[in-house]
């Protein structure tokens, strides 16, 4: 029987080994999930609400327990891990309070006696999730999916199996019926057969472009709905009239929180050349103040990357960019899975640090002369997840928003996910939306009902 071993990226020590599910066990789990669907979809919103609020309470009650596992498995600083658990409680509460209204029948006046659209659950939905936000990525799928009457099965990243099992535990402790949400301990080689199982009705994936392409292809061959949330290379567009101190604080947080391992991190700083020198000088002071160290230390802001190979990949991107003419003004060194907070200046569009997604604590800086040039630089990325614009001229920034090829435009704020707002991208950042009423309606059958006397 195949096993998966999780390693603490901070000290390299083995945490735990897990027995992978066999093909027979996978089939049995899916069968049980499918069977549960037919009773779960009959439950009332009031009953689902009670259970989802219990899940929120469980997350709050044992947030430190769940956060500790997360930190040990993938190196997230413990204070940020606790904040992630708290955000998961928020999304549970949001859908507990709003799902019924979001999915109520939509009456449409036609020549019928009565006509409307109903929003009905699809069944078993497979979630393929990444390690960087091991709880949040799952809960922003699970909360709306379960409230809509669907069943969730989770294929999590192999380095966070402990967190995956903890998520299953949350729903069990909250009192959800057996098999409403189940974790599959499997590697990527098992995914195709799972998607092809006729009892799996849809797939959502958060991950890399190649993974998204593969999953979309398999699901497409089987005519199954998919939602893909893929990579990003968000620009931080700093205009010369920005509030410099506030903008610097926001940009540092946007790039370096979660040790830079976020699809929506601000990875490319695009700044008006007239204020660039002063901005960078002040920003470097803030970067130097970021505390690196043991992720279990409450004061640590930058931990290790989740695996050493990820740090090596970032090192290659930084070195390649320097070779092409970029300049390291701070950081740039790697030790094991740890990579120093790094800022690169003189970065051009052809360099790896600009055109590729950098998944770690490295910020590239590119200057521009005009607003039009800034927009062109931002849009030159193959990704389209989000962009941040910093300026005191809010009206002008709002007028420019439509020119950015992105799923989200944030003005004077870092790009972030909020249960009340749709989240997702365009271009190579994927398709479909999570969160808000748009997210809960991704995995439902929009059924037309037409009645005449």
């Amino acid at each position: 029987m195949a096993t998966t071993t999780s390693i603490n990226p901070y000290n390299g020590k083995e945490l735990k080994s897990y027995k992978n599910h066999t093909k027979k066990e996978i089939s049995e789990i899916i069968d049980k999930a499918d069977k549960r669907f037919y009773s779960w979809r009959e439950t009332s919103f009031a009953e689902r609400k009670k259970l989802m609020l219990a899940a929120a309470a469980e997350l709050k009650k044992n947030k430190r327990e769940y956060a500790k596992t997360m930190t040990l498995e993938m190196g997230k600083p413990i204070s940020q891990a606790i904040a992630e658990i708290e955000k998961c409680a928020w999304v549970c509460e949001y859908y507990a309070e709003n799902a019924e209204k979001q999915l109520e029948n939509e009456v449409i006046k036609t020549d019928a006696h009565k006509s409307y659209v109903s929003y009905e659950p699809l069944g078993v939905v497979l979630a393929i999730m990444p390690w960087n936000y091991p709880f949040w990525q799952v809960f922003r799928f699970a909360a709306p999916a379960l409230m809509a009457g669907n069943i969730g099965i989770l294929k999590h990243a192999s380095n966070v199996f402990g967190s995956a099992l903890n998520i299953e535990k949350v729903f069990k402790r909250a009192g959800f019926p057996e098999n409403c949400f189940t974790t599959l301990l499997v590697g990527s080689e098992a995914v195709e057969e799972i998607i092809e199982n006729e009892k799996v009705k849809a797939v959502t994936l958060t991950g890399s472009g190649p993974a998204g392409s593969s999953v979309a292809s398999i699901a497409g061959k089987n005519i199954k709905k998919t939602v893909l949330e893929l990579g990003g290379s968000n620009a931080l567009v700093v205009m010369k009239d920005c509030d410099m101190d506030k903008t610097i604080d926001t940009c540092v947080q946007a790039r370096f929180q979660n040790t830079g391992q976020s699809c929506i991190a601000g990875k490319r700083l695009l700044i008006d050349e007239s204020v660039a020198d002063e901005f960078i000088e002040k920003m470097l002071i803030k970067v130097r103040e970021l505390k690196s160290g043991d992720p279990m230390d409450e004061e640590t802001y930058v931990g290790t990357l989740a695996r050493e190979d990820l740090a090596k990949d970032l090192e290659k991107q930084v070195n390649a960019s320097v070779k092409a003419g970029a300049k390291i003004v701070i950081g740039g060194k790697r030790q094991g899975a740890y990579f120093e907070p790094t800022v690169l200046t003189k970065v051009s569009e052809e360099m790896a640090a600009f055109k590729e997604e950098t998944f770690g604590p490295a910020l590239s800086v590119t200057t521009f002369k005009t607003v039009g040039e800034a927009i062109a630089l931002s849009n030159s990325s193959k990704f389209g997840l989000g962009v941040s614009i910093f300026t005191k001229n809010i009206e002008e920034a709002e007028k420019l928003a439509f020119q950015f090829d992105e799923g989200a435009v944030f003005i004077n704020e870092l790009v972030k996910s909020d249960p009340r707002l749709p989240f997702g991208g365009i271009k190579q950042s994927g398709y479909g939306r999570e969160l808000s009423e748009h997210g809960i309606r991704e995995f439902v059958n929009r059924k037309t009902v037409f009645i005449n006397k």
Side-chain angles (χ1 to χ4, degrees):
M1 179 181 289
T3 61
T4 298
T5 301
S6 60
I7 304 294
N8 183 330
Y10 176 68
N11 57 26
K13 292 181 179 179
E14 181 178 318
L15 293 170
K16 190 172 182 179
S17 287
Y18 300 89
K19 291 182 179 179
N20 288 16
H21 285 121
T22 64
K23 286 187 177 184
K24 181 182 178 184
E25 289 170 333
I26 294 169
S27 181
E28 289 172 350
I29 288 169
I30 295 173
D31 287 347
K32 289 177 182 178
D34 180 63
K35 185 176 180 181
R36 171 58 63 192
F37 168 65
Y38 295 99
S39 58
W40 178 245
R41 70 176 181 177
E42 298 297 329
T43 58
S44 66
F45 278 108
E47 185 175 348
R48 295 176 206 166
K49 175 180 178 178
K50 181 180 178 181
L51 291 168
M52 194 58 70
L53 289 175
E58 165 60 25
L59 286 162
K60 291 177 180 178
K61 178 183 177 182
N62 293 302
K63 60 185 177 182
R64 189 164 290 275
E65 170 194 340
Y66 298 131
K68 181 180 178 181
T69 299
M70 191 190 310
T71 295
L72 292 173
E73 285 187 319
M74 54 73 62
K76 186 188 299 288
I78 187 67
S79 58
Q80 296 174 36
I82 291 171
E84 180 173 335
I85 301 298
E86 291 171 342
K87 191 170 185 178
C88 292
W90 178 25
V91 80
C92 288
E93 291 166 346
Y94 171 81
Y95 279 110
E97 299 295 343
N98 292 284
E100 183 173 11
K101 180 174 177 58
Q102 290 167 340
L103 296 177
E104 65 185 0
N105 291 346
E106 182 182 348
V107 177
I108 299 173
K109 290 185 178 181
T110 66
D111 55 354
H113 167 68
K114 184 179 183 181
S115 53
Y116 60 91
V117 177
S118 64
Y119 300 95
E120 301 175 5
L122 296 178
V124 178
V125 182
L126 170 65
I128 303 170
M129 293 293 155
W131 47 262
N132 60 328
Y133 286 89
F135 261 68
W136 173 243
Q137 306 278 19
V138 178
F139 271 90
R140 72 186 190 191
F141 150 75
L146 291 170
M147 284 302 299
N150 290 306
I151 299 295
I153 55 173
L154 170 65
K155 185 275 173 210
H156 220 324
S158 58
N159 59 332
V160 291
F161 275 0
S163 291
L165 291 171
N166 278 345
I167 293 168
E168 184 178 304
K169 187 189 297 183
V170 169
F171 290 114
K172 286 181 177 178
R173 286 178 173 178
F176 278 78
E178 286 288 320
N179 307 307
C180 269
F181 187 93
T182 313
T183 286
L184 295 172
L185 301 181
V186 297
S188 57
E189 73 284 347
V191 167
E192 182 170 0
E193 194 168 327
I194 295 170
I195 295 174
E196 289 177 340
N197 188 305
E198 64 179 3
K199 293 174 181 176
V200 174
K201 305 303 182 184
V203 188
T204 181
L205 174 138
T206 299
S208 68
S213 178
S214 175
V215 164
S217 177
I218 298 165
K221 289 178 184 177
N222 290 273
I223 320 298
K224 295 185 180 183
K225 174 70 180 288
T226 55
V227 169
L228 303 181
E229 198 274 281
L230 308 177
S233 188
N234 291 9
L236 302 162
V237 182
V238 178
M239 304 298 187
K240 60 184 176 183
D241 69 339
C242 72
D243 182 320
M244 188 170 290
D245 290 337
K246 287 183 179 179
T247 300
I248 287 170
D249 287 342
T250 302
C251 288
V252 170
Q253 182 186 0
R255 173 64 280 197
F256 296 105
Q257 68 175 348
N258 202 38
T259 316
Q261 299 169 114
S262 173
C263 55
I264 55 171
K267 294 161 186 169
R268 297 176 296 140
L269 178 63
L270 310 180
I271 184 166
D272 189 296
E273 65 176 15
S274 66
V275 295
D277 290 345
E278 181 185 359
F279 188 97
I280 294 167
E281 185 178 344
K282 288 184 174 181
M283 183 179 69
L284 291 178
I285 295 171
K286 296 290 185 179
V287 175
R288 290 189 186 97
E289 291 174 352
L290 299 176
K291 181 178 178 181
S292 297
D294 186 346
M296 289 300 294
D297 184 340
E298 296 275 357
E299 300 300 316
T300 295
Y301 192 84
V302 176
T304 62
L305 274 70
R307 301 189 310 267
E308 185 173 353
D309 63 294
L310 299 169
K312 288 180 178 178
D313 288 344
L314 183 61
E315 184 178 40
K316 289 177 183 176
Q317 291 173 310
V318 168
N319 290 343
S321 299
V322 170
K323 189 176 181 180
K327 180 184 177 183
I328 296 175
V329 292
I330 191 171
K333 295 179 182 177
R334 178 186 68 84
Q335 184 176 355
Y338 172 72
F339 199 91
E340 292 179 325
T342 299
V343 176
L344 292 168
T345 59
K346 302 185 184 301
V347 176
S348 64
E349 292 179 71
E350 305 80 32
M351 296 179 187
F354 187 100
K355 67 181 182 180
E356 299 174 7
E357 180 177 24
T358 50
F359 218 67
L363 177 66
S364 70
V365 181
T366 306
T367 60
F368 61 83
K369 291 183 174 67
T370 66
V371 173
E373 185 183 356
I375 295 170
L377 283 167
S378 179
N379 288 343
S380 66
S381 172
K382 66 181 179 180
F383 299 105
L385 196 51
V387 62
S388 295
I389 308 168
F390 299 92
T391 177
K392 291 177 183 175
N393 192 340
I394 295 173
E395 288 186 5
E396 183 63 25
E398 191 174 2
K399 290 177 183 177
L400 294 173
F402 84 98
Q403 295 186 40
F404 288 91
D405 301 332
E406 307 286 347
V409 175
F410 279 60
I411 299 172
N412 294 324
E413 183 57 278
L414 54 84
V415 176
K416 53 188 176 181
S417 54
D418 181 317
R420 299 162 294 188
L421 295 169
F423 180 85
I426 60 172
K427 300 193 289 187
Q428 293 297 304
S429 289
Y431 53 74
R433 291 296 180 266
E434 297 177 294
L435 302 175
S436 77
E437 67 179 48
H438 298 276
I440 199 171
R441 290 181 178 181
E442 287 284 6
F443 296 117
V444 295
N445 174 21
R446 298 168 175 83
K447 181 179 287 183
T448 296
V449 180
F450 187 101
I451 303 168
N452 262 341
K453 287 186 176 181

